[in-house]
Amino acid sequence: ILYANGVFVLIYFFVGLSGIKLLNKIDKFVSILATFILGIVIVIIGLDMIYAIGIFLLFFVQYRNKIIL
């Protein structure tokens, strides 16, 4: 279950990062706070995040090379 949770945490982390870039004022503060908390969760999950990062990198490389499974 932690492997799947790692994927969701990574997705929400990237959403928080995009919120920092796209939002303004109080919304940006909430996005910074959420991203910080998710960063702490990533540290707590620890080694189980390797699976999530591996899956992300696999899809990123496939997208860059336009390889379809």
Side-chain angles (χ1 to χ4, degrees), residues 59-68:
F59 285 120
F60 182 73
V61 167
Q62 286 182 348
Y63 176 76
R64 296 278 294 180
N65 294 331
K66 308 249 189 276
I67 298 173
I68 300 173

Side-chain angles (χ1 to χ4, degrees), residues 1-14 41-42 45-60:
I1 292 179
L2 281 178
Y3 294 134
N5 287 340
V7 172
F8 287 112
V9 169
L10 195 61
I11 290 169
Y12 288 129
F13 182 77
F14 286 131
V41 171
I42 288 171
I45 291 176
L47 291 177
D48 294 327
M49 283 301 295
I50 292 174
Y51 171 78
I53 293 171
I55 293 296
F56 171 75
L57 290 176
L58 176 71
F59 285 120
F60 182 73

